[in-house]
Amino acid sequence: MTTTLFTNARLIDPAEGTDASGWLLIENGVIRDMGYDAAPPNADAVRDCAGKCLAPGIVDIGVKVCEPGERHKESYRSAGLAAAAGGVTTIVTRPDTDPPIDSPEVLEFVARRASEAAPVNVLPMATLTKSRAGQEMTEIGFLMDAGAVAFTDCDHVVTDTRVLSRALGYARSLGALVITHPQEPGLSKGATATSGKFASLRGLPSVSAMAERMGLDRDIALLEMTGARMHLDQITTARALPALERAKRNGLDITAGTSIHHLTLNELDVADYRTFFKVKPPLRAEDDRKAVVEAVASGLIDIISSMHTPQDEESKRLPYEEAASGAVALQTLLPAALRLYHSGDLSLPQLFRAMSLNPARRLDLPTGRLEAGAPADLVLFDADAPFILDRFTLQSKSRNTPFDGQRMQGKVLASYVNGTRIFGDL
């Protein structure tokens, strides 16, 4: 029996909503006890946190790892190292690989690769339809048996409502979670910016914020019809929020997420066609960004994720319309999120409710909390440490981050999975 005591820690407890100085004791990879009074005297090892923040490790839904098919962009090893350096202890991987993860055989391959190479927990998702083509649903039951934790076609919206309704009904019978991308695909096809003055001045093909609302309305109607479990991967506009609020008020089994880029950046950051800021959906107006931040604070939007999407230099060093969408964010998720803390928009317990507790709850995981019996998946960080981000120091193989050269505040000091240190020196 081995025990480790973290003392003089600023404990961030998202379940209780508290942020206070205390201690935490782990035993054999599991949290045994915590408190805010005098620390217990007996432990095999003692780690003085020197007043820094100790929180549940981040559970990141929607991470793209490019195995199989595009290992030069990101491997399970490089993604795992980036996650560990960013305080992400569990990554939930997307199935939009080449080939897509749409069969038990492919899923078992990536699960084996992940267990061999990544220092963090890796939970794979599978596609909802074969080849993400939206024509025929996958074998959801067999894929669940092989380890799939959710089903999604990612940004390929299933346009055939009959196919989607059947898939949702079947998923409901198995208790499977379906993740959708709320977007009207006809309106959003080819769009690289959000409609408005900025897009017009830059001459960029754009899409109205209503496209997200229209896609959301359809998904909610199908959810009401089938009674399935649904998570919306990214809500990024103010227009979508009333519909989401009504769906929750009506008792539907629905949760919603948003990306760290849509919480901390807006359309003006694209400036003179900076392709590292090209993401999907496109960055929104500042009013939309503020509304989404408020929705996270109130709990209407449940989850913050990185939407980590590696792209190589060749696919980004192109004219804006031709450049690939996406940005890496595993290692920058926490320091970027801390911008919202330092601006006074979100408290640390609110941030970790959205980054750790809620995603763990949605996936029925025991992690994401500081309580006895939970796995000791932890992140120790200095919320105030300033630095200038150099993208070439990132652990990811691809370094397409919009935060390159920006002043950030908040550094990860150490990360732990099941009580074992996977990053840092404390």
Side-chain angles (χ1 to χ4, degrees), residues 358-377:
N358 285 348
R361 282 177 170 171
R362 193 53 169 152
L363 296 171
D364 297 322
L365 305 177
T367 187
R369 63 209 79 194
L370 298 183
E371 62 182 37
D377 295 351

Side-chain angles (χ1 to χ4, degrees), residues 253-297:
D253 192 349
I254 189 170
T255 52
T258 193
S259 85
I260 190 59
H261 299 118
H262 290 92
L263 286 173
T264 57
L265 304 169
N266 67 31
E267 60 185 355
L268 301 181
D269 287 302
V270 173
D272 293 325
Y273 311 103
R274 298 166 67 186
T275 60
F276 279 15
F277 290 82
K278 184 180 179 182
V279 294
K280 189 182 289 188
L283 293 176
R284 307 300 193 180
E286 177 65 6
D287 287 345
D288 284 316
R289 187 195 70 82
K290 289 180 177 179
V292 172
V293 171
E294 291 173 2
V296 173

Side-chain angles (χ1 to χ4, degrees), residues 156-420:
H156 282 196
V157 177
V158 179
T159 57
D160 190 325
T161 52
R162 183 181 294 273
V163 171
L164 182 55
S165 65
R166 286 176 174 172
L168 286 169
Y170 193 64
R172 183 201 176 199
S173 69
L174 297 173
L177 177 66
V178 174
I179 299 181
T180 64
H181 181 70
Q183 198 69 216
E184 205 295 310
L187 287 175
S188 58
K189 184 178 181 180
T192 62
T194 302
S195 299
K197 182 178 179 180
F198 177 80
S200 297
L201 289 173
R202 291 294 185 272
L204 294 172
S206 60
V207 59
S208 168
M210 280 301 294
E212 182 172 281
R213 166 68 180 278
M214 293 167 67
L216 175 60
D217 283 338
R218 185 202 70 154
D219 289 352
I220 289 173
L222 290 171
L223 179 62
E224 187 174 354
M225 183 173 75
T226 60
R229 300 172 61 219
M230 181 179 288
H231 175 69
L232 310 165
D233 64 353
Q234 294 186 81
I235 295 296
T236 63
T237 65
R239 288 182 180 273
L241 297 174
L244 175 62
E245 192 277 330
R246 285 194 300 273
K248 288 193 168 188
R249 187 174 66 243
N250 290 338
L252 299 182
D253 192 349
I254 189 170
T255 52
T258 193
S259 85
I260 190 59
H261 299 118
H262 290 92
L263 286 173
T264 57
L265 304 169
N266 67 31
E267 60 185 355
L268 301 181
D269 287 302
V270 173
D272 293 325
Y273 311 103
R274 298 166 67 186
T275 60
F276 279 15
F277 290 82
K278 184 180 179 182
V279 294
K280 189 182 289 188
L283 293 176
R284 307 300 193 180
E286 177 65 6
D287 287 345
D288 284 316
R289 187 195 70 82
K290 289 180 177 179
V292 172
V293 171
E294 291 173 2
V296 173
S298 69
L300 178 59
I301 290 179
D302 307 88
I303 293 169
I304 299 172
S305 63
S306 70
M307 293 309 294
H308 178 83
T309 306
Q311 300 289 3
D312 53 25
E313 295 287 321
E314 290 76 11
S315 62
K316 279 292 188 181
R317 300 297 186 188
L318 293 171
Y320 196 85
E321 292 181 40
E322 300 173 22
S325 296
V328 294
L330 276 171
Q331 203 166 333
T332 57
L333 173 57
L334 182 54
L338 288 172
R339 287 183 166 187
L340 302 170
Y341 163 67
H342 291 296
S343 66
D345 292 307
L346 295 171
S347 67
L348 289 178
Q350 285 176 318
L351 276 177
F352 279 88
R353 178 189 68 192
M355 294 192 298
S356 301
L357 180 62
N358 285 348
R361 282 177 170 171
R362 193 53 169 152
L363 296 171
D364 297 322
L365 305 177
T367 187
R369 63 209 79 194
L370 298 183
E371 62 182 37
D377 295 351
L378 306 167
V379 55
L380 179 69
F381 64 97
D382 184 345
D384 300 314
F387 68 100
I388 296 176
L389 181 69
D390 178 358
R391 70 189 186 98
F392 294 103
T393 64
L394 298 179
Q395 297 290 331
S396 293
K397 285 189 176 183
S398 298
R399 297 183 171 93
N400 51 304
T401 173
F403 298 113
D404 184 38
Q406 295 196 22
R407 297 180 183 275
M408 311 289 281
Q409 195 171 1
K411 282 188 174 182
V412 173
L413 304 176
S415 300
Y416 304 85
V417 170
N418 293 324
T420 299

Side-chain angles (χ1 to χ4, degrees), residues 101 103-113 142 145-147:
I101 303 172
S103 69
E105 293 78 17
V106 178
L107 189 141
E108 287 167 358
F109 166 78
V110 298
R112 184 170 61 252
R113 284 286 303 137
F142 290 145
D145 291 341

